mmCIF file of all heavy atoms in Angstrom:
data_model
loop_
_atom_site.group_PDB
_atom_site.id
_atom_site.type_symbol
_atom_site.label_atom_id
_atom_site.label_comp_id
_atom_site.label_asym_id
_atom_site.label_seq_id
_atom_site.Cartn_x
_atom_site.Cartn_y
_atom_site.Cartn_z
ATOM 1 N N ALA A 118 -31.084 -41.456 45.905
ATOM 2 C CA ALA A 118 -30.118 -40.502 45.394
ATOM 3 C C ALA A 118 -29.280 -39.902 46.516
ATOM 4 O O ALA A 118 -28.052 -39.755 46.371
ATOM 5 C CB ALA A 118 -30.808 -39.429 44.580
ATOM 6 N N ALA A 119 -29.923 -39.524 47.583
ATOM 7 C CA ALA A 119 -29.198 -38.915 48.692
ATOM 8 C C ALA A 119 -28.193 -39.911 49.318
ATOM 9 O O ALA A 119 -27.057 -39.517 49.616
ATOM 10 C CB ALA A 119 -30.194 -38.487 49.802
ATOM 11 N N ARG A 120 -28.553 -41.146 49.422
ATOM 12 C CA ARG A 120 -27.658 -42.171 49.959
ATOM 13 C C ARG A 120 -26.513 -42.498 48.982
ATOM 14 O O ARG A 120 -25.379 -42.630 49.385
ATOM 15 C CB ARG A 120 -28.427 -43.441 50.299
ATOM 16 C CG ARG A 120 -29.445 -43.287 51.384
ATOM 17 C CD ARG A 120 -30.244 -44.553 51.529
ATOM 18 N NE ARG A 120 -29.413 -45.593 51.984
ATOM 19 C CZ ARG A 120 -29.155 -45.883 53.266
ATOM 20 N NH1 ARG A 120 -29.725 -45.166 54.199
ATOM 21 N NH2 ARG A 120 -28.405 -46.895 53.612
ATOM 22 N N ARG A 121 -26.846 -42.607 47.708
ATOM 23 C CA ARG A 121 -25.841 -42.985 46.710
ATOM 24 C C ARG A 121 -24.709 -41.985 46.691
ATOM 25 O O ARG A 121 -23.538 -42.368 46.610
ATOM 26 C CB ARG A 121 -26.526 -43.035 45.333
ATOM 27 C CG ARG A 121 -25.605 -43.441 44.218
ATOM 28 C CD ARG A 121 -26.287 -43.444 42.859
ATOM 29 N NE ARG A 121 -27.691 -43.697 42.858
ATOM 30 C CZ ARG A 121 -28.611 -42.772 42.620
ATOM 31 N NH1 ARG A 121 -28.261 -41.534 42.365
ATOM 32 N NH2 ARG A 121 -29.868 -43.087 42.628
ATOM 33 N N GLU A 122 -25.004 -40.699 46.736
ATOM 34 C CA GLU A 122 -23.984 -39.678 46.649
ATOM 35 C C GLU A 122 -22.964 -39.845 47.790
ATOM 36 O O GLU A 122 -21.757 -39.682 47.578
ATOM 37 C CB GLU A 122 -24.644 -38.310 46.689
ATOM 38 C CG GLU A 122 -23.712 -37.189 46.276
ATOM 39 C CD GLU A 122 -24.491 -35.889 46.169
ATOM 40 O OE1 GLU A 122 -25.502 -35.854 45.456
ATOM 41 O OE2 GLU A 122 -24.054 -34.927 46.828
ATOM 42 N N LYS A 123 -23.441 -40.120 48.951
ATOM 43 C CA LYS A 123 -22.546 -40.264 50.119
ATOM 44 C C LYS A 123 -21.769 -41.565 50.105
ATOM 45 O O LYS A 123 -20.624 -41.623 50.525
ATOM 46 C CB LYS A 123 -23.363 -40.223 51.429
ATOM 47 C CG LYS A 123 -23.912 -38.874 51.782
ATOM 48 C CD LYS A 123 -24.679 -38.950 53.058
ATOM 49 C CE LYS A 123 -25.331 -37.656 53.411
ATOM 50 N NZ LYS A 123 -26.128 -37.768 54.648
ATOM 51 N N GLN A 124 -22.415 -42.618 49.589
ATOM 52 C CA GLN A 124 -21.840 -43.938 49.794
ATOM 53 C C GLN A 124 -21.021 -44.483 48.644
ATOM 54 O O GLN A 124 -20.297 -45.476 48.805
ATOM 55 C CB GLN A 124 -22.972 -44.909 50.147
ATOM 56 C CG GLN A 124 -23.584 -44.533 51.450
ATOM 57 C CD GLN A 124 -24.912 -45.159 51.672
ATOM 58 O OE1 GLN A 124 -25.520 -45.731 50.760
ATOM 59 N NE2 GLN A 124 -25.413 -45.063 52.914
ATOM 60 N N ILE A 125 -21.058 -43.832 47.479
ATOM 61 C CA ILE A 125 -20.300 -44.359 46.346
ATOM 62 C C ILE A 125 -18.802 -44.323 46.633
ATOM 63 O O ILE A 125 -18.036 -45.200 46.210
ATOM 64 C CB ILE A 125 -20.676 -43.618 45.050
ATOM 65 C CG1 ILE A 125 -20.341 -44.475 43.837
ATOM 66 C CG2 ILE A 125 -19.989 -42.288 44.955
ATOM 67 C CD1 ILE A 125 -21.287 -45.579 43.611
ATOM 68 N N GLY A 126 -18.344 -43.357 47.413
ATOM 69 C CA GLY A 126 -16.933 -43.276 47.803
ATOM 70 C C GLY A 126 -16.446 -44.437 48.625
ATOM 71 O O GLY A 126 -15.250 -44.764 48.616
ATOM 72 N N LEU A 127 -17.382 -45.118 49.304
ATOM 73 C CA LEU A 127 -16.974 -46.285 50.092
ATOM 74 C C LEU A 127 -16.447 -47.414 49.217
ATOM 75 O O LEU A 127 -15.581 -48.172 49.593
ATOM 76 C CB LEU A 127 -18.159 -46.765 50.945
ATOM 77 C CG LEU A 127 -18.693 -45.732 51.943
ATOM 78 C CD1 LEU A 127 -19.895 -46.271 52.659
ATOM 79 C CD2 LEU A 127 -17.619 -45.330 52.943
ATOM 80 N N TYR A 128 -17.005 -47.531 47.999
ATOM 81 C CA TYR A 128 -16.504 -48.571 47.072
ATOM 82 C C TYR A 128 -15.074 -48.270 46.703
ATOM 83 O O TYR A 128 -14.275 -49.167 46.596
ATOM 84 C CB TYR A 128 -17.419 -48.581 45.822
ATOM 85 C CG TYR A 128 -18.747 -49.227 46.018
ATOM 86 C CD1 TYR A 128 -19.778 -48.559 46.655
ATOM 87 C CD2 TYR A 128 -18.980 -50.489 45.593
ATOM 88 C CE1 TYR A 128 -21.045 -49.136 46.818
ATOM 89 C CE2 TYR A 128 -20.200 -51.104 45.730
ATOM 90 C CZ TYR A 128 -21.215 -50.418 46.369
ATOM 91 O OH TYR A 128 -22.451 -51.004 46.535
ATOM 92 N N PHE A 129 -14.776 -47.013 46.457
ATOM 93 C CA PHE A 129 -13.444 -46.646 46.029
ATOM 94 C C PHE A 129 -12.444 -46.742 47.187
ATOM 95 O O PHE A 129 -11.287 -47.059 46.970
ATOM 96 C CB PHE A 129 -13.472 -45.253 45.318
ATOM 97 C CG PHE A 129 -14.283 -45.254 44.104
ATOM 98 C CD1 PHE A 129 -15.505 -44.609 44.053
ATOM 99 C CD2 PHE A 129 -13.844 -45.956 42.988
ATOM 100 C CE1 PHE A 129 -16.249 -44.673 42.924
ATOM 101 C CE2 PHE A 129 -14.587 -45.971 41.846
ATOM 102 C CZ PHE A 129 -15.821 -45.313 41.793
ATOM 103 N N LYS A 130 -12.934 -46.573 48.381
ATOM 104 C CA LYS A 130 -12.075 -46.778 49.555
ATOM 105 C C LYS A 130 -11.692 -48.259 49.617
ATOM 106 O O LYS A 130 -10.524 -48.602 49.892
ATOM 107 C CB LYS A 130 -12.871 -46.348 50.813
ATOM 108 C CG LYS A 130 -12.097 -46.354 52.095
ATOM 109 C CD LYS A 130 -12.978 -45.797 53.211
ATOM 110 C CE LYS A 130 -12.219 -45.633 54.467
ATOM 111 N NZ LYS A 130 -13.051 -45.087 55.564
ATOM 112 N N ALA A 131 -12.654 -49.136 49.385
ATOM 113 C CA ALA A 131 -12.372 -50.551 49.379
ATOM 114 C C ALA A 131 -11.413 -50.930 48.254
ATOM 115 O O ALA A 131 -10.486 -51.732 48.447
ATOM 116 C CB ALA A 131 -13.679 -51.341 49.246
ATOM 117 N N ALA A 132 -11.596 -50.317 47.082
ATOM 118 C CA ALA A 132 -10.760 -50.600 45.941
ATOM 119 C C ALA A 132 -9.321 -50.162 46.222
ATOM 120 O O ALA A 132 -8.359 -50.861 45.871
ATOM 121 C CB ALA A 132 -11.287 -49.877 44.692
ATOM 122 N N GLU A 133 -9.151 -49.040 46.858
ATOM 123 C CA GLU A 133 -7.806 -48.535 47.201
ATOM 124 C C GLU A 133 -7.072 -49.532 48.118
ATOM 125 O O GLU A 133 -5.894 -49.820 47.898
ATOM 126 C CB GLU A 133 -7.961 -47.185 47.919
ATOM 127 C CG GLU A 133 -6.659 -46.563 48.374
ATOM 128 C CD GLU A 133 -6.892 -45.264 49.110
ATOM 129 O OE1 GLU A 133 -7.595 -45.313 50.160
ATOM 130 O OE2 GLU A 133 -6.368 -44.258 48.669
#
Side-chain angles (χ1 to χ4, degrees):
R120 294 175 66 88
R121 181 183 331 107
E122 194 172 308
K123 289 180 183 178
Q124 296 163 348
I125 203 74
L127 299 176
Y128 284 78
F129 296 108
K130 188 176 186 178
E133 180 183 59

